[in-house]
Amino acid sequence: MKTCKDNQTLGNVSIDPLNNRIRRSPFWECSVKAGRKSYHLYNRMLLANTDENDYFHLKSGVQLWDTGAERQVEIKGPDAHRLVQSSTPRDLSEMGDDQCFLIPTVDQNGYMTNDPVLTKVAQNHYWLSVSDADLILFYKGVAAAKKMNVSIEEPQVSPLGIQGAKADELAVKVWGEQVLDIKFFRYKRVDVFGKPMILARSGFSSQGGYELYFEGTSRAEEIWEKLMNAGKDMDIKAGCPTQFDRIESGLLAYRIDITSDMTPFEAGLGRWCQMEKDFGCLAWSSLREKCNPSRQIRPIEILSDPLPRMQGPWTLRNCKGINVGRISSSCRALGYNCNAGIGLVDSDHWNPGTDLIVETQNGSRQAIVKSKFWARK
Amino acid sequence: MKTCKDNQTLGNVSIDPLNNRIRRSPFWECSVKAGRKSYHLYNRMLLANTDENDYFHLKSGVQLWDTGAERQVEIKGPDAHRLVQSSTPRDLSEMGDDQCFLIPTVDQNGYMTNDPVLTKVAQNHYWLSVSDADLILFYKGVAAAKKMNVSIEEPQVSPLGIQGAKADELAVKVWGEQVLDIKFFRYKRVDVFGKPMILARSGFSSQGGYELYFEGTSRAEEIWEKLMNAGKDMDIKAGCPTQFDRIESGLLAYRIDITSDMTPFEAGLGRWCQMEKDFGCLAWSSLREKCNPSRQIRPIEILSDPLPRMQGPWTLRNCKGINVGRISSSCRALGYNCNAGIGLVDSDHWNPGTDLIVETQNGSRQAIVKSKFWARK
């Protein structure tokens, strides 16, 4: 692919929001009416763009996020556990009935195909909340080849994020104290106009909060309004996943930071790879050989003034000018008064404190490898 | 998914063309500079939008189309033939070494996963020019499950369309009379600045023409300029696949007309399903039971005035008001002074001449099933 040399050229074009290929979640009109006007596409759906105000507001208030673009893959039937396990090196055998797992999914050679959140809806019944890719087709391929007895569908389920400092307060007001018992990456079913729906303690922010896996389309606008009204005295707003928060806290984006030529070990997801025993991941033996990566994701501080907006990844060089990696995401770390980057760095240069050079489209900058992401405990 | 009730809402939003998820082909800047300003996303790449002028120009002149968004899946290695064959009911055993095949690809149950053009690059070496979906993941799934010996990649190959009435004239001027020997859906390798590249007689228009499978990014702008200069006295323009031409001629769009709940038989692609013998399609036995569909794609003329722009599919009803199908694409048939639609119609109502009612978002219209698409011979 090409990095555009000429931002001016890019500024001249428009993308038609009326195109028939674009899908919209049942919360989308609510989100637009609440002020979200700028979008990008994610799983061929509209997902709102973030701004600096979102970041600061998240630290003090509460936000509703239309994250319906996080499509679910539903895998159900006698072979469901076996099929999901075939795609990931994370051991699912001890997964609790109320649990959500972040799982790296991999191809035959151990390269990343996605990084979904897996929810165990029931025994042999799973939802995978997928990053921007048709991961459903991988499962269809395995199921066809192995003649598995499963159904594989994209159900009408639209995650609605309740995120921010006052997320607990809002959820308690709507569903009572029971929500406080939900542990991180676990869920309870809560009542949504008479229907039990999954409310998980999860979400793509460092502030924490909940995700309601809203089923169907009927009464979507009513639940949005109900939450908005309940949050009136908590400074509630329509938000969206914020780049600033995710980069500061090292929440990786598939296709941006994690690419299909990376292993889970390179992506820093080694803790979700249980390699002692072959419990059914099709790439197990390939991955065994790749446990010790020669490059890995690292937090990178980029020095001095605020950065230009990235156009494609930026090359990382050492002091001799040799290419030693790339920066895939960067932003002003608004909470830390510096520039934060997500880097993929060769092992010779990944130790904290290593000095590097970043080639931005506007010239080079000094950079330094950090020991941990800014907002990570 | 939701159809937006309020076009006004849609009109208020914008999609950011600078988003990092959006990829651009090596011809893209040339295309923008030549006047293409409006785009949609296809395989996460920018693909130009069409207008009425494109249609008329295509009938008389010649156009270059940046169709780099038609990404290739490259399948190569000892099991390549077996892997590609596993995905499709079209018999590939007799495929010539210079041949391109339109193939329906299907999941375990015989439902459509894509409708790519398959090019046989060499023995056990294929490219699949895929419609808007990560079909690569299906092949990765099958290969992982069957432990196949193949590589499966997205190569840096960008199809460049040379389409329109004067496509032959232009291709002869650049590559000589040899191009006239290329039969429909066959290819020859032609010289592109010293490198042999595949030039196929194919393309997503009823006018016919060529597709150059340009490899790499280097000198992409030079080949664009070379063709543009060669075509100066042939009224050459930068174009793109035109909706008007494709609907008149019944060229179906995956995700719009063909959806993942349809079989190849329902999509009218039964002629590409060889069901006599099981030669390796994983869905063979499922498909055998689905050979006689109870609904199928049909050309539908929609009566009277020009139509509103579609927002989601339109329901088709019979004279009693019963739902008997849907219209997935529609446009003014510019060459025929009527409204053309692509319908999916139940068998009781699919005979030519059947009167139907179409529910557009602006009220209902009379419609009639046609015997063939307008521009089809």
Side-chain angles (χ1 to χ4, degrees):
Chain A
M1 287 311 106
K2 178 166 209 212
T3 301
C4 191
K5 289 172 297 190
D6 183 359
N7 281 352
Q8 211 51 43
T9 313
L10 267 167
N12 279 337
V13 309
S14 64
I15 300 175
D16 177 12
L18 287 158
N19 186 278
N20 259 355
R21 292 187 178 275
I22 301 176
R23 308 178 295 173
R24 293 173 285 274
S25 97
F27 301 114
W28 179 77
E29 278 190 69
C30 298
S31 187
V32 174
K33 284 176 186 160
R36 310 303 322 191
K37 305 290 186 200
S38 171
Y39 287 84
H40 64 288
L41 290 183
Y42 194 89
N43 285 323
R44 298 176 197 85
M45 293 186 74
L46 290 162
L47 183 59
N49 291 326
T50 187
D51 62 34
E52 296 192 3
N53 297 329
D54 293 329
Y55 172 91
F56 293 109
H57 178 261
L58 196 66
K59 307 281 176 190
S60 62
V62 60
Q63 300 179 0
L64 287 192
W65 294 1
D66 169 18
T67 45
E70 287 165 14
R71 301 311 294 162
Q72 307 302 300
V73 176
E74 178 172 74
I75 300 182
K76 200 173 167 179
D79 288 322
H81 175 86
R82 189 160 69 102
L83 178 55
V84 178
Q85 184 67 81
S86 76
S87 71
T88 180
R90 183 161 181 186
D91 179 5
L92 308 180
S93 57
E94 303 294 319
M95 189 175 187
D97 280 350
D98 65 342
Q99 219 163 354
C100 313
F101 272 10
L102 175 75
I103 60 168
T105 61
V106 293
D107 69 14
Q108 179 177 19
N109 301 312
Y111 295 110
M112 296 286 298
T113 53
N114 214 290
D115 60 344
V117 172
L118 174 70
T119 296
K120 189 169 179 179
V121 179
Q123 206 64 25
N124 270 322
H125 184 178
Y126 297 90
W127 288 343
L128 293 120
S129 198
V130 297
S131 299
D132 186 24
D134 302 323
L135 188 64
I136 193 170
L137 290 171
F138 185 88
Y139 293 107
K140 286 189 169 192
V142 174
K146 297 251 187 194
K147 300 195 184 305
M148 285 183 174
N149 186 0
V150 282
S151 80
I152 306 167
E153 304 287 344
E154 185 185 292
Q156 181 49 273
V157 172
S158 307
L160 177 63
I162 301 164
Q163 300 284 312
K166 292 183 179 157
D168 273 339
E169 194 182 330
L170 178 61
V172 166
K173 190 163 171 190
V174 175
W175 291 294
E177 298 274 332
Q178 57 162 341
V179 300
L180 299 176
D181 300 335
I182 305 174
K183 295 201 179 73
F184 188 59
F185 267 53
R186 301 248 174 189
Y187 71 81
K188 273 187 196 292
R189 286 191 171 80
V190 294
D191 179 84
V192 178
F193 304 123
K195 287 185 190 163
M197 295 190 191
I198 287 176
L199 181 74
R201 189 178 288 279
S202 58
F204 208 58
S205 90
S206 69
Q207 279 301 318
Y210 300 87
E211 288 179 294
L212 176 68
Y213 287 78
F214 186 83
E215 298 184 48
T217 55
S218 155
R219 308 192 76 173
E221 296 180 11
E222 281 175 75
I223 186 69
W224 176 281
E225 286 308 319
K226 184 175 174 175
L227 286 159
M228 275 290 184
N229 286 333
K232 259 182 187 156
D233 54 359
M234 300 165 207
D235 187 23
I236 195 166
K237 283 188 179 160
C240 59
T242 137
Q243 290 294 314
F244 303 100
D245 178 68
R246 86 160 186 86
I247 296 172
E248 278 181 12
S249 45
L251 294 169
L252 307 181
Y254 186 72
R255 287 191 190 282
I256 306 288
D257 307 308
I258 302 176
T259 48
S260 60
D261 61 349
M262 287 167 71
T263 67
F265 305 104
E266 292 176 331
L269 302 174
R271 66 189 179 287
W272 307 131
C273 302
Q274 279 99 40
M275 303 314 299
E276 311 76 37
K277 193 172 149 236
D278 178 4
F279 41 79
C281 172
L282 292 168
W284 184 75
S285 49
S286 289
L287 273 176
R288 287 267 288 189
E289 296 164 9
K290 297 182 171 98
C291 289
N292 298 305
S294 60
R295 58 178 193 168
Q296 203 172 52
I297 295 279
R298 285 286 184 278
I300 310 282
E301 184 171 331
I302 304 169
L303 302 187
S304 72
D305 301 335
L307 298 164
R309 183 172 176 179
M310 293 189 83
Q311 284 298 310
W314 290 335
T315 300
L316 278 172
R317 299 192 189 280
N318 68 7
C319 57
K320 293 174 182 157
I322 310 290
N323 182 332
V324 297
R326 67 178 184 231
I327 299 280
S328 49
S329 293
S330 67
C331 70
R332 191 70 186 167
L334 296 171
Y336 302 84
N337 198 29
C338 68
N339 299 314
I342 296 176
L344 180 67
V345 191
D346 291 349
S347 56
D348 288 348
H349 296 83
W350 72 23
N351 285 337
T354 306
D355 287 315
L356 298 172
I357 292 155
V358 184
E359 307 279 4
T360 80
Q361 68 264 25
N362 294 0
S364 58
R365 292 281 188 99
Q366 282 187 280
I368 188 164
V369 180
K370 305 287 287 180
S371 61
K372 61 183 182 69
F373 281 95
W374 291 259
R376 201 175 274 179
K377 278 101 200 170
Chain B
M1 285 313 104
K2 175 161 211 217
T3 301
C4 191
K5 288 173 297 192
D6 182 0
N7 281 352
Q8 210 53 42
T9 313
L10 267 167
N12 278 338
V13 309
S14 65
I15 300 175
D16 177 12
L18 286 158
N19 187 276
N20 259 353
R21 291 186 179 274
I22 301 177
R23 309 179 296 174
R24 293 173 284 275
S25 98
F27 301 115
W28 180 77
E29 277 191 70
C30 298
S31 188
V32 175
K33 284 176 186 159
R36 310 302 320 191
K37 305 291 186 200
S38 171
Y39 287 83
H40 63 288
L41 290 183
Y42 194 88
N43 285 322
R44 298 174 199 86
M45 295 187 73
L46 290 161
L47 184 59
N49 290 326
T50 188
D51 61 34
E52 296 192 2
N53 297 329
D54 294 329
Y55 173 92
F56 293 109
H57 177 261
L58 196 68
K59 306 281 176 191
S60 61
V62 59
Q63 300 179 1
L64 287 192
W65 293 1
D66 169 19
T67 45
E70 288 165 13
R71 302 311 294 163
Q72 306 302 301
V73 176
E74 179 172 74
I75 299 181
K76 201 173 166 179
D79 289 322
H81 175 86
R82 189 161 70 102
L83 178 55
V84 179
Q85 184 67 81
S86 76
S87 69
T88 180
R90 184 161 180 185
D91 180 5
L92 308 179
S93 57
E94 304 293 319
M95 189 176 186
D97 281 349
D98 65 342
Q99 219 163 353
C100 312
F101 272 9
L102 175 75
I103 60 168
T105 60
V106 292
D107 69 13
Q108 179 178 18
N109 301 313
Y111 295 109
M112 295 287 298
T113 53
N114 214 290
D115 59 345
V117 172
L118 174 71
T119 297
K120 188 170 180 179
V121 178
Q123 208 63 27
N124 270 324
H125 184 179
Y126 297 91
W127 287 343
L128 293 120
S129 199
V130 295
S131 300
D132 186 24
D134 302 323
L135 188 64
I136 193 169
L137 290 171
F138 184 88
Y139 292 108
K140 287 190 168 192
V142 174
K146 297 251 187 194
K147 298 194 185 308
M148 285 183 174
N149 186 0
V150 282
S151 80
I152 306 166
E153 303 286 343
E154 186 184 291
Q156 183 46 275
V157 172
S158 307
L160 177 63
I162 302 164
Q163 300 284 314
K166 291 182 180 159
D168 273 338
E169 195 182 329
L170 178 61
V172 166
K173 190 163 171 190
V174 175
W175 290 295
E177 298 274 333
Q178 58 163 339
V179 300
L180 299 177
D181 299 335
I182 305 173
K183 294 200 178 76
F184 188 59
F185 267 53
R186 301 247 174 191
Y187 72 81
K188 272 187 197 294
R189 285 191 172 80
V190 295
D191 179 82
V192 179
F193 304 124
K195 288 184 191 164
M197 294 189 191
I198 287 176
L199 182 74
R201 190 178 288 279
S202 57
F204 208 60
S205 89
S206 68
Q207 278 300 317
Y210 299 86
E211 287 180 293
L212 176 68
Y213 287 79
F214 185 81
E215 298 184 49
T217 56
S218 154
R219 309 192 76 173
E221 295 180 10
E222 283 175 73
I223 187 68
W224 176 280
E225 285 309 319
K226 185 175 174 175
L227 286 159
M228 274 290 183
N229 286 331
K232 261 184 186 154
D233 55 358
M234 299 165 206
D235 188 22
I236 194 167
K237 283 188 179 160
C240 59
T242 137
Q243 291 293 315
F244 303 101
D245 178 68
R246 86 160 184 85
I247 297 171
E248 277 181 14
S249 45
L251 293 169
L252 307 182
Y254 186 71
R255 286 192 190 282
I256 306 288
D257 307 308
I258 303 176
T259 49
S260 60
D261 61 349
M262 286 168 71
T263 68
F265 304 105
E266 292 176 331
L269 302 173
R271 66 190 180 286
W272 307 132
C273 302
Q274 278 98 40
M275 303 313 300
E276 310 76 37
K277 195 173 147 236
D278 177 5
F279 41 79
C281 172
L282 293 168
W284 186 74
S285 49
S286 288
L287 272 176
R288 288 268 288 190
E289 295 163 10
K290 297 182 169 96
C291 290
N292 298 306
S294 60
R295 57 179 193 169
Q296 202 171 53
I297 295 279
R298 285 286 184 277
I300 310 282
E301 184 170 330
I302 304 168
L303 302 187
S304 73
D305 301 336
L307 297 164
R309 183 172 177 180
M310 293 189 83
Q311 283 299 311
W314 290 335
T315 300
L316 278 172
R317 300 192 188 279
N318 68 8
C319 57
K320 291 176 185 157
I322 310 291
N323 182 332
V324 297
R326 66 180 184 228
I327 297 281
S328 49
S329 294
S330 66
C331 70
R332 191 70 187 168
L334 296 171
Y336 302 84
N337 199 30
C338 67
N339 300 314
I342 297 176
L344 179 67
V345 191
D346 291 349
S347 57
D348 288 348
H349 296 83
W350 72 24
N351 286 336
T354 306
D355 288 314
L356 298 173
I357 292 155
V358 184
E359 305 282 2
T360 81
Q361 67 265 24
N362 294 0
S364 58
R365 291 282 190 98
Q366 282 188 280
I368 188 164
V369 180
K370 304 286 289 181
S371 59
K372 61 183 182 66
F373 280 95
W374 290 259
R376 199 174 273 180
K377 277 104 199 169

